[in-house]
Amino acid sequence: MTAAPEPLLVATDLRKAYGPTPALDGAELTVRAGEVVAVMGPSGSGKSTLLHCLAGIVTPDSGDVRYRGQQMSLMSDGERSALRRTDFGFVFQFGQLVPELTCLENVAMPLRLAGRRRKDAEALAATWLERLEVTDLAGKRPGEVSGGQGQRVAVARALVGAPRVVFADEPTGALDSLNGERVMRLLTDAAHDTGAAVVLVTHEPRVAAYSDREIVVRDGKSRDMERAA
Amino acid sequence: MSIGHTLLGLLESGPRHGYDLKRAFDERFGHDRPLAYGQVYSTMARLLKNGLVEVDGIEPGGGPERKRYAITDAGVTDVESWLAQPEKPEPYLQTTLYTKVVLALLTGRPAADLLDSQRAEHLRLMRELTRRKSGGDLADQLICDHALFHLEADLRWLELTAARLDQLAAEVTR
């Protein structure tokens, strides 16, 4: 039996309130390299807040998030921003591509922000567009492509920088079944090939079925469903 | 599924032996539950008796005689009307599961754990079907999708029941 890979992200006893409303109330989660973890739960259960805490976008009121052993709350804003650029990739429900840039420029953007030359960045971005089966969109702007195509461009952008963790918040929420499944298949195949872990927030069981395991968040508390089985 | 109608439908493309029929059935529809030989022969005997198939020829072999069956005109009409008849939509409530939840509440056992372990089991099967689907042809994908949509509906029921467990507990223990 092979030993489980070292945890990449470990969240312990996370608590976060927005005003009097607790969003997280002792949530926990461990993410290992190369695995796809689905975070499920009813609307307002705290699953997006959990994702934002894990990604260092939101600071929890108490509790601890460690990325590769390093406590994220002890990092400066600049260090957390750098981490998000170099080690994390993001896919959101509505793509959130920059409308003024072409699809190729959107995908190349994380590399450009990391200091890569335009030519190199766009060459690598083109290979990712090809991998996500949207090569023909390279010169188009986000407003000229369909929702499903835009999400595939967003997945390419999330993976182009070879992140260790991809955070996907309802990545298929705005797509029909066929397009949603295509995006999920391409995202999970690419993540498995590159060894990236995926934290996938979804309320759709058929999307969660692309994961390796599942965490359910209810009333700000998490439950590892491996232990429920 | 009506095995008789399915075998009749398979015979429409031409006469076949019982063994060929079983193989054709298993290839197309029997992924999870291949037909037993006994079931093929008993079904063919019934269809023969009802005049929906006829014996097209008999080949003597080492073992029992091998009958080749052909569909009759009455058989074709029967398949046609079966295909034209919509299936009865069944609101599908997992009665065993519902009974278990109520019994757990009545006896003070953790009903939420029961729902969670069922949920994990459902998602485990959904993962398996999703993997099978991604490696399969279009027929495989459609069969898996059908199962996945049904399992998803069950899972939504599990979620909704979990969210209303306190309310249900109050009602059943009143």
Side-chain angles (χ1 to χ4, degrees):
Chain A
M1 203 172 117
T2 47
E6 282 296 300
L8 268 181
L9 266 172
V10 181
T12 317
D13 196 23
L14 292 184
R15 290 168 200 278
K16 175 76 186 173
Y18 296 106
T21 316
L24 292 180
D25 185 16
E28 305 199 327
L29 176 61
T30 298
V31 181
R32 295 176 191 282
E35 68 174 353
V36 180
V37 183
V39 179
M40 297 192 76
S43 298
S45 59
K47 50 190 194 297
S48 286
T49 303
L50 175 60
L51 181 135
H52 290 153
C53 286
L54 290 170
I57 298 169
V58 164
T59 307
D61 298 335
S62 67
D64 188 26
V65 178
R66 282 173 191 269
Y67 173 66
R68 301 178 76 199
Q70 243 190 314
Q71 202 172 334
M72 286 175 68
S73 59
L74 298 181
M75 295 178 189
S76 67
D77 284 349
E79 284 170 329
R80 276 198 297 270
S81 294
L83 191 65
R84 285 197 293 273
R85 274 201 311 273
T86 57
D87 285 37
F88 297 167
F90 296 89
V91 185
F92 302 100
Q93 185 171 356
F94 296 105
Q96 298 190 344
L97 300 169
V98 181
E100 292 81 6
L101 300 181
T102 65
C103 290
L104 182 71
E105 288 165 342
N106 264 284
V107 176
M109 193 172 56
L111 301 173
R112 297 280 292 141
L113 289 173
R116 292 279 281 269
R117 288 171 47 219
R118 175 185 290 271
K119 199 175 160 194
D120 292 348
E122 292 191 349
L124 187 55
T127 66
W128 274 97
L129 284 178
E130 187 183 351
R131 192 160 181 173
L132 273 295
E133 301 168 4
V134 280
T135 301
D136 50 333
L137 306 182
K140 295 197 168 164
R141 292 198 157 69
E144 299 171 305
V145 307
S146 72
Q149 290 170 330
Q151 277 307 70
R152 280 184 272 153
V153 174
V155 170
R157 184 183 61 182
L159 286 159
V160 72
R164 290 178 194 268
V165 188
V166 175
F167 295 96
D169 194 355
E170 301 282 7
T172 64
L175 304 180
D176 61 48
S177 292
L178 269 183
N179 272 305
E181 300 215 3
R182 192 168 182 192
V183 165
M184 282 314 299
R185 183 175 51 76
L186 291 165
L187 169 62
T188 49
D189 283 355
H192 279 140
D193 289 350
T194 58
V198 180
V199 181
L200 167 69
V201 166
T202 181
H203 67 278
E204 295 179 76
R206 275 180 309 109
V207 172
Y210 282 86
S211 69
D212 301 310
R213 63 190 182 87
E214 179 202 15
I215 301 290
V216 174
V217 183
R218 293 188 191 108
D219 300 326
K221 296 181 173 65
S222 59
R223 175 147 203 213
D224 186 339
M225 300 309 282
E226 292 274 287
R227 291 175 203 153
Chain B
M1 181 180 352
S2 166
I3 305 289
H5 286 114
T6 312
L7 294 181
L8 273 179
L10 288 173
L11 276 179
E12 278 211 44
S13 60
R16 290 173 193 255
H17 294 106
Y19 173 76
D20 291 338
L21 269 175
K22 174 195 156 38
R23 206 174 48 187
F25 182 97
D26 289 350
E27 269 173 19
R28 289 189 181 277
F29 312 111
H31 275 297
D32 301 321
R33 260 182 263 167
L35 268 188
Y37 282 108
Q39 200 175 359
V40 177
Y41 292 112
S42 63
T43 306
M44 294 319 290
R46 179 170 55 79
L47 297 175
L48 194 61
K49 192 174 140 206
N50 294 339
L52 302 176
V53 296
E54 60 193 7
V55 175
D56 184 57
I58 297 178
E59 286 172 19
E65 286 177 333
R66 296 181 65 197
K67 284 182 189 160
R68 197 170 61 221
Y69 298 98
I71 191 166
T72 62
D73 288 346
V76 173
T77 308
D78 200 50
V79 173
E80 218 161 75
S81 62
W82 178 62
L83 290 177
Q85 181 73 40
E87 295 294 313
K88 185 181 168 199
E90 291 185 17
Y92 178 66
L93 176 64
Q94 288 211 330
T95 48
T96 315
L97 198 51
Y98 176 73
T99 310
K100 279 184 174 180
V101 172
V102 171
L103 270 180
L105 291 172
L106 281 172
T107 56
R109 291 187 170 90
D113 289 357
L114 185 159
L115 288 168
D116 274 354
S117 74
Q118 187 62 48
R119 180 198 168 97
E121 187 60 21
H122 265 62
L123 206 62
R124 189 194 58 72
L125 181 56
M126 288 180 77
R127 282 196 187 97
E128 201 177 300
L129 287 162
T130 302
R131 276 195 294 271
R132 183 170 138 191
K133 197 170 86 165
S134 61
D137 57 15
L138 184 59
D140 249 340
Q141 288 171 20
L142 291 173
I143 290 167
C144 290
D145 272 337
H146 188 260
L148 280 164
F149 279 114
H150 277 271
L151 288 166
E152 185 178 38
D154 282 353
L155 219 141
R156 289 195 188 283
W157 180 83
L158 289 166
E159 267 177 10
L160 205 65
T161 308
R164 294 194 294 198
L165 213 47
D166 290 346
Q167 205 182 332
L168 183 63
E171 282 195 17
V172 300
T173 54
R174 194 163 48 197

